Amino acid sequence: MAAVAALLSVLISPAAAQAAPGESRPVYSYDHAIRESVWVDTRLDGDADGRTDRVAVDIVRPAEPAQQGRRVPVIMDASPYYSCCGRGNESQKKTYDDRGRPVQFPLYYDNYFVPRGYATVLVDLAGTNRSDGCIDIGGRSDIGSAKAVVDWLGGRGRAYTARTGGTPVAADWSDGSTGMLGKSWDATIANGVAATGVKGLKTIVPIAGISSWYDYYFAKGAPLYDSGPDSLADRVESPDAQKHCAAVQKKLADGAPRTGDWTGLWTERDYVRRADKVRASVFMVHGMQDLNVRTRHAGQWWDALARHGVERKIWLSQTGHVDPFDFRRGDWVTTLHHWFDHYLMGYDNGIDRAPMADVERAPGTWSTDRQWPAPGTRATTLRPRAGTVPGVGVLGTGKAPHGATATFTDDPKLSEADWAARIDERTPAKAGFRTAPLRAPLRLSGSGKVTVTVTPSTSTAHLSAVLVDLGPDTIRNYAADGEGITTLDRRTCWGAGTPGDTGCFQETAADTQKVGYTVFSRGWADLGNYADAHKGRPLTPGKPYSIALDLAASDHVVPAGHRFALIVAGTDAGLIDPPASTPKLTLDLSRTSARLPLTGGAPALARATTGTPRHTAPATPLDGIAPPRSISRMPAAG
């Protein structure tokens, strides 16, 4: 009985117990909260059945404000995963009672925020769970169905008590202020809705979100997966949608050719191009070792928002595709609480004046910066040269002499782990270049690029460029199943609970591994896209081509005593698909360079590398994280 009583009581997290004055407090009953479902008219007819689609919207909101004639702000998560796959580390799904009323809301948002005076709204994207229409992978239907809910919450839309027919219902309990959040696909929807400039969307909190769907499937023409958005749609559609959405799936397949060429489908799903419309503040979270939704998405979205003066904040972890609730739980809940209090309730709690960036330096150890990329960061050029050991190059500021080359042959079986482990050896599948041990730490903060000139032996070629920290460290094991976390047996409760939705979750801990090197940024391209990033061309064997490989955003410090390396190679096994041929590539060293975001710029590079002693290569390969595994093609599973 004691356990049941505990579940029914308002269970306050350790973070909430230390709540400071001037913030929302858990004064409303969660047990007696209003739980309801409505169907919002999207004004779209995605399944072409002759009537506009309605999307299911499940709501939990405190009863007392409505009884007192007061309205409340909304925290909203729009997702395709509420019935097919689940949300969070425990893959929770929505559940309902025998009258169809919501019982369990996945995650802790309702448990924690409803007692504090917020409504929590979970939206089934069109074509999923209890909604009409068709999923269209970040397109007009996905974004439009979520935007329609924001409009309804602001008094500008229509909703009904049933999927068909029903009684009109108004959101007369909403004050019109909405914050969207969620991980991965859910985060992507938040990005896309913000890029419409919709009124009433005050803030978004995208966790590992996609900013351009082309960049989820391709890297400058190089395919990151062996399937396209039509396959993804098939995974998440409701049984009813699968009967009616074949035409939409065909459009997805036809509009996303495996050549990697840009089409109108990708333009529609590129939110970066519409960053000028964003009026919401943005609190972005991303794992720097996320090999599902790569940090290129975070970097380009962040830079676009910065250009348009959007208020923003960022957390960068050492994890892979992981929610901050599972790698920094207490600090995350507190920070998110203050963020929503400020942007949705108007509390002047200082969150908008706090340091802009938190970066995880070691498992569980964080640093802060007042802005990001770090103040004083400048694009700085490093160049590869031949070294004294045959086949083992040098990375520095000096330009290689005209005619200097390095060669490698694409081996689709090898990955960045294989290349980095043998950086000090001449191996046929890579061209590697490294500094001597650094005299001072060297920090890279932001996005960079590697420009290469290569001559292929065949008519097709894929390229990879990776940055490596060569030296011993303990890092999160991002290539393991937990992507840097391990799940424990014990639970803690974050907010209030009922027997059907306890608000209690398994704790996690860092999953760490000792390594001899760390790959911390990557970029890929199809060499056939040398003339146009959006359209490939056949290559002429024996002819040189130049192309820039965009590196994923990162924030990494290479410590003094470690070496810093650049590797250029072909197929990065497990991360990009191989080309049709197996080319040998000749790298023109005099026309190859890395333009990298170094904090302190060229002077910092000079301090770290000037007068460094000659390096003696180790006799054995270095140890690192296991080679990248074949990752999920679902951008938010888990």
Side-chain angles (χ1 to χ4, degrees), residues 212-296:
S212 170
W213 278 90
Y214 177 88
D215 296 309
Y216 183 74
Y217 285 103
F218 298 98
K220 200 167 282 187
L224 305 180
Y225 300 110
D226 60 3
S227 62
D230 54 312
S231 176
L232 184 55
D234 188 59
R235 294 281 301 276
V236 302
E237 281 180 334
S238 67
D240 185 61
Q242 289 180 341
K243 298 174 184 176
H244 301 98
C245 296
V248 174
Q249 286 212 24
K250 185 176 188 303
K251 287 181 181 179
L252 291 173
D254 293 345
R258 301 309 298 158
T259 60
D261 288 348
W262 189 280
T263 66
L265 181 141
W266 301 123
T267 301
E268 180 182 332
R269 292 158 177 79
D270 182 3
Y271 316 128
V272 177
R273 293 178 178 225
R274 299 191 292 277
D276 62 313
K277 296 183 182 298
V278 175
R279 297 294 177 264
S281 62
V282 179
F283 183 3
M284 186 185 304
V285 182
H286 220 106
M288 291 184 288
Q289 294 290 4
D290 191 338
L291 300 180
N292 184 338
V293 179
R294 282 82 164 178
T295 52
R296 172 171 171 77

Side-chain angles (χ1 to χ4, degrees), residues 513-559:
Q513 183 168 331
K514 294 182 178 180
V515 296
Y517 69 84
T518 305
V519 176
F520 63 89
S521 186
R522 309 155 177 86
W524 309 280
D526 185 326
L527 186 57
N529 287 55
Y530 64 92
D532 186 343
H534 293 160
K535 186 172 180 59
R537 293 169 170 79
L539 304 171
T540 300
K543 179 181 177 180
Y545 298 92
S546 295
I547 193 169
L549 286 72
D550 298 317
L551 297 174
S554 186
D555 196 303
H556 184 85
V557 176
V558 183

Side-chain angles (χ1 to χ4, degrees), residues 62-75:
E64 296 90 339
Q67 294 166 356
Q68 298 162 4
R70 292 187 294 106
R71 300 188 177 201
V72 298
V74 171
I75 295 171

Side-chain angles (χ1 to χ4, degrees), residues 300-365:
Q300 64 189 6
W301 188 227
W302 181 266
D303 291 344
L305 296 172
R307 287 192 297 271
H308 296 291
V310 174
E311 288 188 73
R312 62 205 186 281
K313 182 178 181 64
I314 191 168
W315 278 17
L316 294 169
S317 75
Q318 282 195 354
T319 66
H321 202 61
V322 181
D323 191 298
F325 188 71
D326 294 317
F327 61 71
R328 201 186 184 193
R329 186 166 294 182
D331 288 339
W332 169 246
V333 174
T334 299
T335 305
L336 186 65
H337 178 192
H338 292 166
W339 185 266
F340 282 143
D341 270 3
H342 177 70
Y343 287 101
L344 296 181
M345 285 192 173
Y347 283 94
D348 184 12
N349 54 22
I351 191 73
D352 55 324
R353 301 184 296 276
M356 179 182 284
D358 281 26
V359 181
E360 189 175 26
R361 294 294 168 207
T365 300

Side-chain angles (χ1 to χ4, degrees), residues 36-43 55-62 70-78 105 118-124 144-160 169-181 193 198-203 344:
E36 59 190 335
S37 299
V38 302
W39 278 260
V40 171
D41 190 333
T42 68
R43 306 183 183 92
V55 292
V57 179
D58 294 317
I59 302 161
V60 179
R61 57 186 175 90
R70 292 187 294 106
R71 300 188 177 201
V72 298
V74 171
I75 295 171
M76 170 176 152
D77 187 347
F105 269 35
Y118 294 86
T120 301
V121 170
L122 303 189
V123 181
D124 295 332
S145 60
K147 177 181 178 294
V149 179
V150 177
D151 279 331
W152 175 71
L153 291 167
R156 300 179 302 278
R158 295 174 297 177
Y160 302 87
V169 56
D172 52 9
W173 47 266
S174 167
D175 71 4
S177 296
T178 299
M180 292 184 67
L181 83 168
V193 174
V198 62
K199 183 180 179 181
L201 183 62
K202 303 297 186 181
T203 190
L344 296 181

